[in-house]
Amino acid sequence: MIARPVGAQVAPQREEMRGPIVRCPVPVKNRRRVLCVFPSYVPAFGTFQHAYRLMYGVKAFMPPQGLLLIAAYLPEHWPVRFIDENIRPATQDDFEWAEAVFVSGMHIQRQQMNDICRRAHAFDLAVAIGGPSVSACPDYYPSFDYLHVGELGDATNELIARLARDPSRPEQQVVLKTSDRLAMTEFPIPAYELAEVKKYFLGSIQYSSGCPYQCEFCDIPGLYGRNPRLKTPQQIIAELDKLRECGVTGSVYFVDDNFIGNRKAALDLLPHLVEWQKRTGYVMRLACEATLNIAKRPEILEKMREAFFVTVFCGIETPDPDALKAMHKDHNMMVPILEGIRTINSYGMEVVSGIIMGLDTDKPETGDALLGFVEDSQIPLLTINLLQALPKTPLWDRLEREGRLLNDDDGRDSNVKFLLPYDQVVESWRKCMEVAYQPEKLFARYQYQCDYTYSQRIKVPVSPEQKSWANIRRGLIMLRNIFWKVGVLGDYRKVFWKFALGRLRRGDIEGLIGPALIAHHLIMFARAASVGQQNASNYSIRLREASVPAE
Ligand code: SF4
């Protein structure tokens, strides 16, 4: 872990550390110093903040793919500094160093992005914004000097050319829209070397973008298309090598919107991942997002098992078949849902599930049905959110037509006028959070995963990185934190020890640390949620920010 104190670090500048050369083709002579700032998140269910205090040096969730991609794409002789404000805020020194500022993020980070813009303007710097939020809603960002709408491509080149000519703030806002996207096969490796990767909970990587389905609430097909675009397996292997060089050794999340959006491509990639894991001693545990119908593809599941995929996030959304039909997510019913989950588990992969409440098909008994599903599925981690309408989705259009879109500023946890009374929906959500994450129930589900899922994983050797003193020390510190803060001081310590002793008797330290960290976050977050201290619409959990392939 990086031991320098937060706030005292200066991210390495790019002249010193470079990846393979695929960059902006615009010939530019002038040298510009670019400060890339990623906005902080408000605490959310899906970013695991409560786990960080049990870890060692972890401050943020995942390195943002989009900004690091842009950093790598900028002209070679442009110095770049990257700041993730989840780790430390951009300082006066950073702004004084910069000639231009780039920002990117999701809707949920809108306020923070506008705040970065305000701070940069105090130094009279031109500020450009790209990424999913501005691409969907340019009008959210009236103060920025440059809006980069769409993915990496001709708009990016134009932005670079303009800044090269003149870095000062334009007299009025300039909107640059990508009409010619750069093929993902030409994407440079994101500038992971600029991020303090060891301060992240997870590593991130992206193979594809887009999804062939059209779930009513989802903005992915509208923003990134229905025909998934792809990198090559060779690019992914080079990225994994770079992540490893930068010090990532734990879990790495494929942030693709749907890992099997193009099944053939997934099958093409997997043997390369298997090879890479064998070559490196299985240094990384892999995770991804995929549709539940992956359960129908044993040939993919078997290869994922060999490549040491340990977690799959499935947007199950609801166990109610009528609701799935109504939201156009029929593909979740290609196999019976519980059977699909069991199948994935049997290949050693834990299922994480997205769940939505507040659907038009919900009834007063929906909450109880959901809790029944949690028990039956034995899924430990379910992200239970209230329905939120995102701009540029069929849901948004329908609700607008029906006059059921509400103002974001109404102090509600959703911008949707539900068919059931709002208070009833929120109350039901709170009850589900409270019951699903009672420590006894949660650790019982983890015990099930130990017995029936983790036991199905391939036995991997201990990699040189894992054997290193730095890694052993990190593990010991985490164990100490868990034992002290949960096992001694925690109010659910009895339940914890029942689970922990079982793991310790088997010598399964990893199987103890992972669930203990996640469970602690879930328990703490759910307690706050059940008494109304957390927002009920953490739609950011779907990790789309990291999946944005361009700014
Ligand atoms: S929710 Fe998932 S499956 Fe549905 S369109 Fe979005 S990315 Fe695709």
Side-chain angles (χ1 to χ4, degrees), residues 37-44 47 61-62 64 67 83-86 103-117 119 129-134 140-141 144 539-540 543-546 548 551:
V37 187
F38 188 67
S40 59
Y41 290 113
V42 287
T47 47
F61 186 44
M62 285 199 298
L67 265 185
I83 307 291
D84 183 339
E85 295 213 316
N86 293 286
V103 179
S104 164
M106 301 186 301
H107 295 318
I108 201 160
Q109 295 161 298
R110 176 177 166 187
Q111 275 185 355
Q112 290 84 345
M113 288 191 278
N114 280 318
D115 183 59
I116 294 167
C117 180
R119 284 183 278 147
I129 181 170
S133 181
V134 70
Y140 282 1
Y141 302 99
F144 281 79
Y539 56 99
S540 60
L543 310 180
R544 282 193 307 270
E545 70 73 21
V548 177
E551 308 300 288

Side-chain angles (χ1 to χ4, degrees), residues 445-460:
R445 301 202 297 275
Y446 271 121
Q447 186 59 53
Y448 174 94
Q449 296 299 320
C450 291
D451 295 341
Y452 297 99
T453 302
Y454 308 159
S455 55
Q456 304 301 319
R457 289 177 184 162
I458 52 168
K459 306 287 169 261
V460 298

